[in-house]
Amino acid sequence: MPQNDIPVVTIDGPTASGKGTVAQKVARTLGFHYLDSGALYRLTALSALRRNVALTDEHALAKLAEHLPCTFNGEHVLLANEDVSNAIRAEEVGNAASKIAALPALRQALFGLQLRFRRTPGLVADGRDMGTVLFPHAPLKVFLTASVDARAQRRYKQLIDKGFSANIEDLRKDLSERDARDANRTIAPLKPAEGAYLLDTSDITAEQAVQRVLGWYFSQSAADMQR
Ligand code: DC
């Protein structure tokens, strides 16, 4: 099957909007591959922090990203064979990821790597620019939103469950700052793709969001078959 015909579902949205959980469940139900593009930015940020690479050194960061020795193994993310699944979720790493994500050369370095996740039978890709930049012709594009309060609560629970300490007020402030940075950058800003379905997850469960996305996917596929 030509690469461009492999179905892709893009799920974009702000941090802690629930897109990771929803995207993974949709991928599992459809039997599709899953791309957590934020993890690539986080992996680059973690490498940079560990090697003392300045978060403004675009050239060095792009080099790091180009040669990122990463492996995705189910729920586990490896960096040069070290399991960093929890380490990349730290707030410090997320904030650093958001900062370096504004650098065009770094985004370019991660571009090809992300496209390679498009393999049969299909892909569910989550991030900020999956529907706008990476897969603009995806048959289904979704944009998840949720209030800052709902997202701060979710992030708090995630961090506590992973054994990190957290403070809800600090999280709310961090989320707002990160939203502003992700939405206002000049390159690939966070915004709904053309033709994206919008879904506010503030007052619905992850399972309800999954069912909504699957419903859209199946009605889209049925419409495509009739064409
Ligand atoms: O989705 P996340 O919180 O794991 O992403 C971490 C940061 O990476 C986010 O603040 C912005 C950046 N990012 C991006 O710019 N483009 C993507 N497709 C995914 C993440």
Side-chain angles (χ1 to χ4, degrees), residues 12-16 19 36-42 88-89 93-99 101-102 107 114 126-130 134 155 178 181-182 185 187-188:
D12 289 306
T15 198
K19 61 191 160 39
D36 171 4
S37 62
L40 298 175
Y41 289 88
R42 287 170 180 269
I88 59 166
R89 298 292 149 204
V93 178
N95 278 325
S98 166
K99 283 183 188 145
R107 300 197 75 84
Q114 294 174 87
D126 99 48
R128 303 291 187 290
D129 60 346
M130 298 295 101
L134 266 294
R155 181 47 58 84
R178 204 180 311 171
R181 203 159 40 222
D182 292 347
R185 66 183 178 218
I187 180 161

PDB file of all heavy atoms in Angstrom, residues 12-16 19 36-42 88-89 93-99 101-102 107 114 126-130 134 155 178 181-182 185 187-188, ligand 1:
ATOM      1  N   ASP A  12      -4.631  16.052  18.173  1.00  0.00           N
ATOM      2  CA  ASP A  12      -3.816  17.143  18.699  1.00  0.00           C
ATOM      3  C   ASP A  12      -4.531  17.816  19.857  1.00  0.00           C
ATOM      4  O   ASP A  12      -5.759  17.686  20.001  1.00  0.00           O
ATOM      5  CB  ASP A  12      -3.560  18.180  17.587  1.00  0.00           C
ATOM      6  CG  ASP A  12      -2.607  17.655  16.521  1.00  0.00           C
ATOM      7  OD1 ASP A  12      -1.502  17.211  16.900  1.00  0.00           O
ATOM      8  OD2 ASP A  12      -2.958  17.669  15.325  1.00  0.00           O
ATOM      9  N   GLY A  13      -3.758  18.543  20.637  1.00  0.00           N
ATOM     10  CA  GLY A  13      -4.388  19.285  21.725  1.00  0.00           C
ATOM     11  C   GLY A  13      -3.346  19.756  22.709  1.00  0.00           C
ATOM     12  O   GLY A  13      -2.172  19.370  22.615  1.00  0.00           O
ATOM     13  N   PRO A  14      -3.765  20.607  23.670  1.00  0.00           N
ATOM     14  CA  PRO A  14      -2.811  21.129  24.645  1.00  0.00           C
ATOM     15  C   PRO A  14      -2.381  20.055  25.638  1.00  0.00           C
ATOM     16  O   PRO A  14      -2.951  18.962  25.675  1.00  0.00           O
ATOM     17  CB  PRO A  14      -3.604  22.235  25.356  1.00  0.00           C
ATOM     18  CG  PRO A  14      -5.020  21.849  25.185  1.00  0.00           C
ATOM     19  CD  PRO A  14      -5.121  21.127  23.884  1.00  0.00           C
ATOM     20  N   THR A  15      -1.379  20.405  26.410  1.00  0.00           N
ATOM     21  CA  THR A  15      -0.841  19.466  27.386  1.00  0.00           C
ATOM     22  C   THR A  15      -1.920  19.036  28.385  1.00  0.00           C
ATOM     23  O   THR A  15      -2.766  19.854  28.771  1.00  0.00           O
ATOM     24  CB  THR A  15       0.396  20.107  28.069  1.00  0.00           C
ATOM     25  OG1 THR A  15       1.143  19.107  28.689  1.00  0.00           O
ATOM     26  CG2 THR A  15       0.034  21.194  29.048  1.00  0.00           C
ATOM     27  N   ALA A  16      -1.929  17.750  28.723  1.00  0.00           N
ATOM     28  CA  ALA A  16      -2.873  17.168  29.682  1.00  0.00           C
ATOM     29  C   ALA A  16      -4.336  17.263  29.256  1.00  0.00           C
ATOM     30  O   ALA A  16      -5.232  17.245  30.087  1.00  0.00           O
ATOM     31  CB  ALA A  16      -2.683  17.780  31.080  1.00  0.00           C
ATOM     32  N   LYS A  19      -5.073  13.609  25.427  1.00  0.00           N
ATOM     33  CA  LYS A  19      -4.875  13.052  24.084  1.00  0.00           C
ATOM     34  C   LYS A  19      -4.061  11.768  24.094  1.00  0.00           C
ATOM     35  O   LYS A  19      -4.321  10.868  23.302  1.00  0.00           O
ATOM     36  CB  LYS A  19      -4.309  14.088  23.112  1.00  0.00           C
ATOM     37  CG  LYS A  19      -2.980  14.636  23.497  1.00  0.00           C
ATOM     38  CD  LYS A  19      -2.625  15.826  22.625  1.00  0.00           C
ATOM     39  CE  LYS A  19      -1.580  16.674  23.276  1.00  0.00           C
ATOM     40  NZ  LYS A  19      -0.493  16.058  24.004  1.00  0.00           N
ATOM     41  N   ASP A  36       3.543   8.877  19.799  1.00  0.00           N
ATOM     42  CA  ASP A  36       3.471   9.906  20.837  1.00  0.00           C
ATOM     43  C   ASP A  36       4.548  10.924  20.481  1.00  0.00           C
ATOM     44  O   ASP A  36       5.699  10.806  20.911  1.00  0.00           O
ATOM     45  CB  ASP A  36       3.752   9.234  22.195  1.00  0.00           C
ATOM     46  CG  ASP A  36       3.908  10.233  23.323  1.00  0.00           C
ATOM     47  OD1 ASP A  36       3.737  11.446  23.093  1.00  0.00           O
ATOM     48  OD2 ASP A  36       4.227   9.791  24.455  1.00  0.00           O
ATOM     49  N   SER A  37       4.181  11.910  19.641  1.00  0.00           N
ATOM     50  CA  SER A  37       5.222  12.825  19.132  1.00  0.00           C
ATOM     51  C   SER A  37       5.810  13.680  20.252  1.00  0.00           C
ATOM     52  O   SER A  37       6.981  14.040  20.209  1.00  0.00           O
ATOM     53  CB  SER A  37       4.673  13.704  18.011  1.00  0.00           C
ATOM     54  OG  SER A  37       3.617  14.511  18.491  1.00  0.00           O
ATOM     55  N   GLY A  38       5.014  13.961  21.282  1.00  0.00           N
ATOM     56  CA  GLY A  38       5.535  14.746  22.411  1.00  0.00           C
ATOM     57  C   GLY A  38       6.718  14.039  23.059  1.00  0.00           C
ATOM     58  O   GLY A  38       7.651  14.686  23.552  1.00  0.00           O
ATOM     59  N   ALA A  39       6.701  12.701  23.044  1.00  0.00           N
ATOM     60  CA  ALA A  39       7.794  11.938  23.667  1.00  0.00           C
ATOM     61  C   ALA A  39       9.111  12.227  22.942  1.00  0.00           C
ATOM     62  O   ALA A  39      10.176  12.253  23.572  1.00  0.00           O
ATOM     63  CB  ALA A  39       7.494  10.440  23.636  1.00  0.00           C
ATOM     64  N   LEU A  40       9.050  12.490  21.637  1.00  0.00           N
ATOM     65  CA  LEU A  40      10.287  12.772  20.891  1.00  0.00           C
ATOM     66  C   LEU A  40      10.873  14.119  21.328  1.00  0.00           C
ATOM     67  O   LEU A  40      12.091  14.263  21.467  1.00  0.00           O
ATOM     68  CB  LEU A  40      10.020  12.774  19.388  1.00  0.00           C
ATOM     69  CG  LEU A  40       9.519  11.436  18.827  1.00  0.00           C
ATOM     70  CD1 LEU A  40       9.166  11.582  17.355  1.00  0.00           C
ATOM     71  CD2 LEU A  40      10.572  10.350  19.012  1.00  0.00           C
ATOM     72  N   TYR A  41       9.979  15.097  21.545  1.00  0.00           N
ATOM     73  CA  TYR A  41      10.446  16.397  22.032  1.00  0.00           C
ATOM     74  C   TYR A  41      10.974  16.260  23.470  1.00  0.00           C
ATOM     75  O   TYR A  41      11.974  16.861  23.841  1.00  0.00           O
ATOM     76  CB  TYR A  41       9.319  17.444  21.950  1.00  0.00           C
ATOM     77  CG  TYR A  41       9.014  17.814  20.521  1.00  0.00           C
ATOM     78  CD1 TYR A  41       8.090  17.082  19.770  1.00  0.00           C
ATOM     79  CD2 TYR A  41       9.681  18.860  19.897  1.00  0.00           C
ATOM     80  CE1 TYR A  41       7.832  17.392  18.445  1.00  0.00           C
ATOM     81  CE2 TYR A  41       9.429  19.180  18.573  1.00  0.00           C
ATOM     82  CZ  TYR A  41       8.504  18.441  17.843  1.00  0.00           C
ATOM     83  OH  TYR A  41       8.268  18.746  16.525  1.00  0.00           O
ATOM     84  N   ARG A  42      10.283  15.444  24.250  1.00  0.00           N
ATOM     85  CA  ARG A  42      10.718  15.236  25.631  1.00  0.00           C
ATOM     86  C   ARG A  42      12.068  14.496  25.686  1.00  0.00           C
ATOM     87  O   ARG A  42      12.929  14.799  26.509  1.00  0.00           O
ATOM     88  CB  ARG A  42       9.668  14.440  26.418  1.00  0.00           C
ATOM     89  CG  ARG A  42       8.432  15.256  26.748  1.00  0.00           C
ATOM     90  CD  ARG A  42       7.310  14.390  27.304  1.00  0.00           C
ATOM     91  NE  ARG A  42       6.141  15.186  27.611  1.00  0.00           N
ATOM     92  CZ  ARG A  42       5.881  15.756  28.799  1.00  0.00           C
ATOM     93  NH1 ARG A  42       6.728  15.579  29.794  1.00  0.00           N
ATOM     94  NH2 ARG A  42       4.792  16.462  28.976  1.00  0.00           N
ATOM     95  N   ILE A  88      10.970  11.129  31.360  1.00  0.00           N
ATOM     96  CA  ILE A  88      10.553  12.150  30.374  1.00  0.00           C
ATOM     97  C   ILE A  88       9.242  12.825  30.774  1.00  0.00           C
ATOM     98  O   ILE A  88       8.843  13.819  30.184  1.00  0.00           O
ATOM     99  CB  ILE A  88      10.429  11.589  28.923  1.00  0.00           C
ATOM    100  CG1 ILE A  88       9.417  10.449  28.844  1.00  0.00           C
ATOM    101  CG2 ILE A  88      11.784  11.204  28.370  1.00  0.00           C
ATOM    102  CD1 ILE A  88       9.008  10.101  27.416  1.00  0.00           C
ATOM    103  N   ARG A  89       8.537  12.262  31.759  1.00  0.00           N
ATOM    104  CA  ARG A  89       7.258  12.871  32.191  1.00  0.00           C
ATOM    105  C   ARG A  89       7.445  13.943  33.247  1.00  0.00           C
ATOM    106  O   ARG A  89       6.474  14.584  33.669  1.00  0.00           O
ATOM    107  CB  ARG A  89       6.308  11.794  32.752  1.00  0.00           C
ATOM    108  CG  ARG A  89       5.905  10.738  31.752  1.00  0.00           C
ATOM    109  CD  ARG A  89       5.017  11.268  30.646  1.00  0.00           C
ATOM    110  NE  ARG A  89       5.254  10.527  29.419  1.00  0.00           N
ATOM    111  CZ  ARG A  89       5.027  10.975  28.186  1.00  0.00           C
ATOM    112  NH1 ARG A  89       4.548  12.180  28.005  1.00  0.00           N
ATOM    113  NH2 ARG A  89       5.281  10.234  27.138  1.00  0.00           N
ATOM    114  N   VAL A  93      11.238  18.421  32.379  1.00  0.00           N
ATOM    115  CA  VAL A  93      11.500  17.941  31.016  1.00  0.00           C
ATOM    116  C   VAL A  93      10.409  18.448  30.061  1.00  0.00           C
ATOM    117  O   VAL A  93      10.690  18.876  28.943  1.00  0.00           O
ATOM    118  CB  VAL A  93      11.606  16.398  30.999  1.00  0.00           C
ATOM    119  CG1 VAL A  93      11.822  15.889  29.584  1.00  0.00           C
ATOM    120  CG2 VAL A  93      12.728  15.934  31.922  1.00  0.00           C
ATOM    121  N   GLY A  94       9.152  18.438  30.526  1.00  0.00           N
ATOM    122  CA  GLY A  94       8.042  18.931  29.700  1.00  0.00           C
ATOM    123  C   GLY A  94       8.213  20.408  29.361  1.00  0.00           C
ATOM    124  O   GLY A  94       7.982  20.831  28.225  1.00  0.00           O
ATOM    125  N   ASN A  95       8.649  21.184  30.348  1.00  0.00           N
ATOM    126  CA  ASN A  95       8.853  22.617  30.107  1.00  0.00           C
ATOM    127  C   ASN A  95      10.005  22.846  29.133  1.00  0.00           C
ATOM    128  O   ASN A  95       9.912  23.693  28.240  1.00  0.00           O
ATOM    129  CB  ASN A  95       9.140  23.345  31.424  1.00  0.00           C
ATOM    130  CG  ASN A  95       7.848  23.639  32.149  1.00  0.00           C
ATOM    131  OD1 ASN A  95       6.831  23.917  31.523  1.00  0.00           O
ATOM    132  ND2 ASN A  95       7.870  23.546  33.467  1.00  0.00           N
ATOM    133  N   ALA A  96      11.069  22.062  29.307  1.00  0.00           N
ATOM    134  CA  ALA A  96      12.216  22.187  28.392  1.00  0.00           C
ATOM    135  C   ALA A  96      11.782  21.774  26.980  1.00  0.00           C
ATOM    136  O   ALA A  96      12.157  22.409  25.988  1.00  0.00           O
ATOM    137  CB  ALA A  96      13.381  21.324  28.880  1.00  0.00           C
ATOM    138  N   ALA A  97      10.949  20.732  26.892  1.00  0.00           N
ATOM    139  CA  ALA A  97      10.473  20.259  25.579  1.00  0.00           C
ATOM    140  C   ALA A  97       9.683  21.368  24.893  1.00  0.00           C
ATOM    141  O   ALA A  97       9.838  21.619  23.698  1.00  0.00           O
ATOM    142  CB  ALA A  97       9.609  19.016  25.753  1.00  0.00           C
ATOM    143  N   SER A  98       8.829  22.039  25.659  1.00  0.00           N
ATOM    144  CA  SER A  98       8.013  23.100  25.090  1.00  0.00           C
ATOM    145  C   SER A  98       8.900  24.245  24.581  1.00  0.00           C
ATOM    146  O   SER A  98       8.616  24.849  23.545  1.00  0.00           O
ATOM    147  CB  SER A  98       7.029  23.586  26.153  1.00  0.00           C
ATOM    148  OG  SER A  98       6.435  24.787  25.782  1.00  0.00           O
ATOM    149  N   LYS A  99      10.000  24.523  25.300  1.00  0.00           N
ATOM    150  CA  LYS A  99      10.897  25.606  24.869  1.00  0.00           C
ATOM    151  C   LYS A  99      11.611  25.235  23.571  1.00  0.00           C
ATOM    152  O   LYS A  99      11.623  25.994  22.617  1.00  0.00           O
ATOM    153  CB  LYS A  99      11.942  25.894  25.951  1.00  0.00           C
ATOM    154  CG  LYS A  99      11.357  26.677  27.088  1.00  0.00           C
ATOM    155  CD  LYS A  99      12.394  27.025  28.126  1.00  0.00           C
ATOM    156  CE  LYS A  99      11.676  27.640  29.324  1.00  0.00           C
ATOM    157  NZ  LYS A  99      12.271  27.302  30.588  1.00  0.00           N
ATOM    158  N   ALA A 101      10.780  23.126  21.386  1.00  0.00           N
ATOM    159  CA  ALA A 101       9.844  22.838  20.285  1.00  0.00           C
ATOM    160  C   ALA A 101       9.581  24.062  19.417  1.00  0.00           C
ATOM    161  O   ALA A 101       9.009  23.951  18.340  1.00  0.00           O
ATOM    162  CB  ALA A 101       8.526  22.309  20.846  1.00  0.00           C
ATOM    163  N   ALA A 102      10.004  25.241  19.895  1.00  0.00           N
ATOM    164  CA  ALA A 102       9.802  26.459  19.100  1.00  0.00           C
ATOM    165  C   ALA A 102      10.922  26.649  18.076  1.00  0.00           C
ATOM    166  O   ALA A 102      10.874  27.589  17.281  1.00  0.00           O
ATOM    167  CB  ALA A 102       9.730  27.669  20.029  1.00  0.00           C
ATOM    168  N   ARG A 107      12.541  21.004  14.930  1.00  0.00           N
ATOM    169  CA  ARG A 107      11.289  20.413  14.403  1.00  0.00           C
ATOM    170  C   ARG A 107      11.584  19.685  13.093  1.00  0.00           C
ATOM    171  O   ARG A 107      11.090  18.604  12.846  1.00  0.00           O
ATOM    172  CB  ARG A 107      10.204  21.479  14.196  1.00  0.00           C
ATOM    173  CG  ARG A 107       9.807  22.226  15.442  1.00  0.00           C
ATOM    174  CD  ARG A 107       8.475  22.944  15.268  1.00  0.00           C
ATOM    175  NE  ARG A 107       7.355  22.021  15.311  1.00  0.00           N
ATOM    176  CZ  ARG A 107       6.771  21.588  16.424  1.00  0.00           C
ATOM    177  NH1 ARG A 107       7.173  22.011  17.596  1.00  0.00           N
ATOM    178  NH2 ARG A 107       5.789  20.725  16.361  1.00  0.00           N
ATOM    179  N   GLN A 114       9.146  11.138  12.454  1.00  0.00           N
ATOM    180  CA  GLN A 114       7.710  10.999  12.748  1.00  0.00           C
ATOM    181  C   GLN A 114       6.953  10.380  11.569  1.00  0.00           C
ATOM    182  O   GLN A 114       6.081   9.533  11.764  1.00  0.00           O
ATOM    183  CB  GLN A 114       7.114  12.359  13.112  1.00  0.00           C
ATOM    184  CG  GLN A 114       7.688  12.892  14.418  1.00  0.00           C
ATOM    185  CD  GLN A 114       7.213  14.304  14.696  1.00  0.00           C
ATOM    186  OE1 GLN A 114       6.165  14.518  15.287  1.00  0.00           O
ATOM    187  NE2 GLN A 114       7.985  15.281  14.280  1.00  0.00           N
ATOM    188  N   ASP A 126      -0.428  11.399  18.088  1.00  0.00           N
ATOM    189  CA  ASP A 126      -0.864  12.495  18.960  1.00  0.00           C
ATOM    190  C   ASP A 126       0.228  13.531  19.147  1.00  0.00           C
ATOM    191  O   ASP A 126       1.407  13.205  19.127  1.00  0.00           O
ATOM    192  CB  ASP A 126      -1.454  11.940  20.267  1.00  0.00           C
ATOM    193  CG  ASP A 126      -0.533  11.930  21.463  1.00  0.00           C
ATOM    194  OD1 ASP A 126       0.120  12.946  21.740  1.00  0.00           O
ATOM    195  OD2 ASP A 126      -0.499  10.891  22.152  1.00  0.00           O
ATOM    196  N   GLY A 127      -0.185  14.798  19.259  1.00  0.00           N
ATOM    197  CA  GLY A 127       0.786  15.880  19.435  1.00  0.00           C
ATOM    198  C   GLY A 127       0.150  17.241  19.331  1.00  0.00           C
ATOM    199  O   GLY A 127      -0.958  17.467  19.835  1.00  0.00           O
ATOM    200  N   ARG A 128       0.872  18.170  18.688  1.00  0.00           N
ATOM    201  CA  ARG A 128       0.382  19.541  18.526  1.00  0.00           C
ATOM    202  C   ARG A 128       0.131  19.861  17.057  1.00  0.00           C
ATOM    203  O   ARG A 128      -0.706  20.680  16.729  1.00  0.00           O
ATOM    204  CB  ARG A 128       1.415  20.562  19.048  1.00  0.00           C
ATOM    205  CG  ARG A 128       1.831  20.379  20.482  1.00  0.00           C
ATOM    206  CD  ARG A 128       0.702  20.710  21.419  1.00  0.00           C
ATOM    207  NE  ARG A 128       1.120  20.699  22.813  1.00  0.00           N
ATOM    208  CZ  ARG A 128       1.449  19.631  23.498  1.00  0.00           C
ATOM    209  NH1 ARG A 128       1.403  18.437  22.930  1.00  0.00           N
ATOM    210  NH2 ARG A 128       1.799  19.707  24.763  1.00  0.00           N
ATOM    211  N   ASP A 129       0.944  19.226  16.179  1.00  0.00           N
ATOM    212  CA  ASP A 129       0.901  19.588  14.756  1.00  0.00           C
ATOM    213  C   ASP A 129       0.699  18.362  13.874  1.00  0.00           C
ATOM    214  O   ASP A 129       1.085  18.373  12.713  1.00  0.00           O
ATOM    215  CB  ASP A 129       2.207  20.296  14.360  1.00  0.00           C
ATOM    216  CG  ASP A 129       3.439  19.418  14.580  1.00  0.00           C
ATOM    217  OD1 ASP A 129       3.324  18.384  15.277  1.00  0.00           O
ATOM    218  OD2 ASP A 129       4.502  19.746  14.042  1.00  0.00           O
ATOM    219  N   MET A 130       0.108  17.312  14.420  1.00  0.00           N
ATOM    220  CA  MET A 130      -0.078  16.091  13.632  1.00  0.00           C
ATOM    221  C   MET A 130      -1.037  16.355  12.459  1.00  0.00           C
ATOM    222  O   MET A 130      -0.797  15.920  11.348  1.00  0.00           O
ATOM    223  CB  MET A 130      -0.615  14.947  14.514  1.00  0.00           C
ATOM    224  CG  MET A 130       0.313  14.540  15.651  1.00  0.00           C
ATOM    225  SD  MET A 130       1.864  13.835  15.087  1.00  0.00           S
ATOM    226  CE  MET A 130       2.963  15.196  15.280  1.00  0.00           C
ATOM    227  N   LEU A 134       2.208  17.436   9.988  1.00  0.00           N
ATOM    228  CA  LEU A 134       2.717  16.090   9.660  1.00  0.00           C
ATOM    229  C   LEU A 134       1.795  15.312   8.727  1.00  0.00           C
ATOM    230  O   LEU A 134       2.242  14.723   7.757  1.00  0.00           O
ATOM    231  CB  LEU A 134       2.937  15.292  10.963  1.00  0.00           C
ATOM    232  CG  LEU A 134       4.326  15.293  11.596  1.00  0.00           C
ATOM    233  CD1 LEU A 134       5.341  14.607  10.723  1.00  0.00           C
ATOM    234  CD2 LEU A 134       4.779  16.676  11.943  1.00  0.00           C
ATOM    235  N   ARG A 155      -3.090  16.293  35.410  1.00  0.00           N
ATOM    236  CA  ARG A 155      -1.640  16.244  35.465  1.00  0.00           C
ATOM    237  C   ARG A 155      -1.185  15.952  36.897  1.00  0.00           C
ATOM    238  O   ARG A 155      -0.255  15.178  37.123  1.00  0.00           O
ATOM    239  CB  ARG A 155      -1.069  17.583  34.950  1.00  0.00           C
ATOM    240  CG  ARG A 155       0.427  17.737  34.909  1.00  0.00           C
ATOM    241  CD  ARG A 155       1.178  16.577  34.300  1.00  0.00           C
ATOM    242  NE  ARG A 155       0.850  16.205  32.956  1.00  0.00           N
ATOM    243  CZ  ARG A 155       1.335  16.755  31.850  1.00  0.00           C
ATOM    244  NH1 ARG A 155       2.167  17.751  31.915  1.00  0.00           N
ATOM    245  NH2 ARG A 155       0.989  16.297  30.672  1.00  0.00           N
ATOM    246  N   ARG A 178       2.712  27.070  29.348  1.00  0.00           N
ATOM    247  CA  ARG A 178       3.072  26.175  28.247  1.00  0.00           C
ATOM    248  C   ARG A 178       2.070  26.302  27.090  1.00  0.00           C
ATOM    249  O   ARG A 178       2.449  26.302  25.935  1.00  0.00           O
ATOM    250  CB  ARG A 178       3.142  24.727  28.737  1.00  0.00           C
ATOM    251  CG  ARG A 178       4.045  23.950  27.833  1.00  0.00           C
ATOM    252  CD  ARG A 178       4.217  22.528  28.176  1.00  0.00           C
ATOM    253  NE  ARG A 178       4.541  22.251  29.557  1.00  0.00           N
ATOM    254  CZ  ARG A 178       4.546  21.015  30.033  1.00  0.00           C
ATOM    255  NH1 ARG A 178       4.245  20.014  29.245  1.00  0.00           N
ATOM    256  NH2 ARG A 178       4.861  20.783  31.289  1.00  0.00           N
ATOM    257  N   ARG A 181       2.961  29.331  25.161  1.00  0.00           N
ATOM    258  CA  ARG A 181       4.175  29.136  24.347  1.00  0.00           C
ATOM    259  C   ARG A 181       3.861  28.267  23.121  1.00  0.00           C
ATOM    260  O   ARG A 181       4.260  28.556  22.006  1.00  0.00           O
ATOM    261  CB  ARG A 181       5.245  28.483  25.210  1.00  0.00           C
ATOM    262  CG  ARG A 181       6.634  28.737  24.702  1.00  0.00           C
ATOM    263  CD  ARG A 181       7.694  28.541  25.765  1.00  0.00           C
ATOM    264  NE  ARG A 181       7.428  27.404  26.610  1.00  0.00           N
ATOM    265  CZ  ARG A 181       7.584  27.392  27.925  1.00  0.00           C
ATOM    266  NH1 ARG A 181       7.978  28.458  28.553  1.00  0.00           N
ATOM    267  NH2 ARG A 181       7.328  26.306  28.628  1.00  0.00           N
ATOM    268  N   ASP A 182       3.112  27.174  23.341  1.00  0.00           N
ATOM    269  CA  ASP A 182       2.818  26.247  22.231  1.00  0.00           C
ATOM    270  C   ASP A 182       1.890  26.894  21.194  1.00  0.00           C
ATOM    271  O   ASP A 182       1.991  26.623  20.002  1.00  0.00           O
ATOM    272  CB  ASP A 182       2.165  24.960  22.753  1.00  0.00           C
ATOM    273  CG  ASP A 182       3.125  24.104  23.587  1.00  0.00           C
ATOM    274  OD1 ASP A 182       4.337  24.383  23.559  1.00  0.00           O
ATOM    275  OD2 ASP A 182       2.663  23.168  24.264  1.00  0.00           O
ATOM    276  N   ARG A 185       3.854  30.274  19.244  1.00  0.00           N
ATOM    277  CA  ARG A 185       5.120  30.207  18.495  1.00  0.00           C
ATOM    278  C   ARG A 185       4.820  30.368  16.997  1.00  0.00           C
ATOM    279  O   ARG A 185       3.713  30.017  16.540  1.00  0.00           O
ATOM    280  CB  ARG A 185       5.855  28.896  18.787  1.00  0.00           C
ATOM    281  CG  ARG A 185       5.128  27.692  18.287  1.00  0.00           C
ATOM    282  CD  ARG A 185       5.851  26.403  18.657  1.00  0.00           C
ATOM    283  NE  ARG A 185       5.081  25.272  18.189  1.00  0.00           N
ATOM    284  CZ  ARG A 185       4.944  24.137  18.842  1.00  0.00           C
ATOM    285  NH1 ARG A 185       5.532  23.954  20.000  1.00  0.00           N
ATOM    286  NH2 ARG A 185       4.230  23.163  18.326  1.00  0.00           N
ATOM    287  N   ILE A 187       6.304  28.799  14.447  1.00  0.00           N
ATOM    288  CA  ILE A 187       6.352  27.565  13.658  1.00  0.00           C
ATOM    289  C   ILE A 187       5.444  26.500  14.277  1.00  0.00           C
ATOM    290  O   ILE A 187       5.494  26.248  15.485  1.00  0.00           O
ATOM    291  CB  ILE A 187       7.802  27.042  13.509  1.00  0.00           C
ATOM    292  CG1 ILE A 187       7.807  25.763  12.672  1.00  0.00           C
ATOM    293  CG2 ILE A 187       8.505  26.828  14.828  1.00  0.00           C
ATOM    294  CD1 ILE A 187       9.138  25.413  12.091  1.00  0.00           C
ATOM    295  N   ALA A 188       4.583  25.920  13.436  1.00  0.00           N
ATOM    296  CA  ALA A 188       3.681  24.839  13.836  1.00  0.00           C
ATOM    297  C   ALA A 188       2.985  25.101  15.169  1.00  0.00           C
ATOM    298  O   ALA A 188       3.051  24.293  16.091  1.00  0.00           O
ATOM    299  CB  ALA A 188       4.447  23.509  13.900  1.00  0.00           C
TER     300      ALA A 188
HETATM  301  O1   DC B   1       2.406  16.330  24.486  1.00  0.00           O
HETATM  302  P1   DC B   1       3.547  16.588  25.474  1.00  0.00           P
HETATM  303  O2   DC B   1       3.149  17.370  26.691  1.00  0.00           O
HETATM  304  O3   DC B   1       4.265  15.326  25.808  1.00  0.00           O
HETATM  305  O4   DC B   1       4.590  17.497  24.646  1.00  0.00           O
HETATM  306  C1   DC B   1       5.700  18.113  25.242  1.00  0.00           C
HETATM  307  C2   DC B   1       6.076  19.381  24.485  1.00  0.00           C
HETATM  308  O5   DC B   1       6.534  19.042  23.171  1.00  0.00           O
HETATM  309  C3   DC B   1       4.921  20.362  24.262  1.00  0.00           C
HETATM  310  O6   DC B   1       4.863  21.351  25.261  1.00  0.00           O
HETATM  311  C4   DC B   1       5.192  20.966  22.923  1.00  0.00           C
HETATM  312  C5   DC B   1       6.071  19.985  22.217  1.00  0.00           C
HETATM  313  N1   DC B   1       5.388  19.274  21.128  1.00  0.00           N
HETATM  314  C6   DC B   1       5.321  19.921  19.914  1.00  0.00           C
HETATM  315  O7   DC B   1       5.740  21.060  19.793  1.00  0.00           O
HETATM  316  N2   DC B   1       4.786  19.261  18.833  1.00  0.00           N
HETATM  317  C7   DC B   1       4.301  18.017  18.962  1.00  0.00           C
HETATM  318  N3   DC B   1       3.786  17.403  17.895  1.00  0.00           N
HETATM  319  C8   DC B   1       4.333  17.366  20.211  1.00  0.00           C
HETATM  320  C9   DC B   1       4.877  18.026  21.279  1.00  0.00           C
END
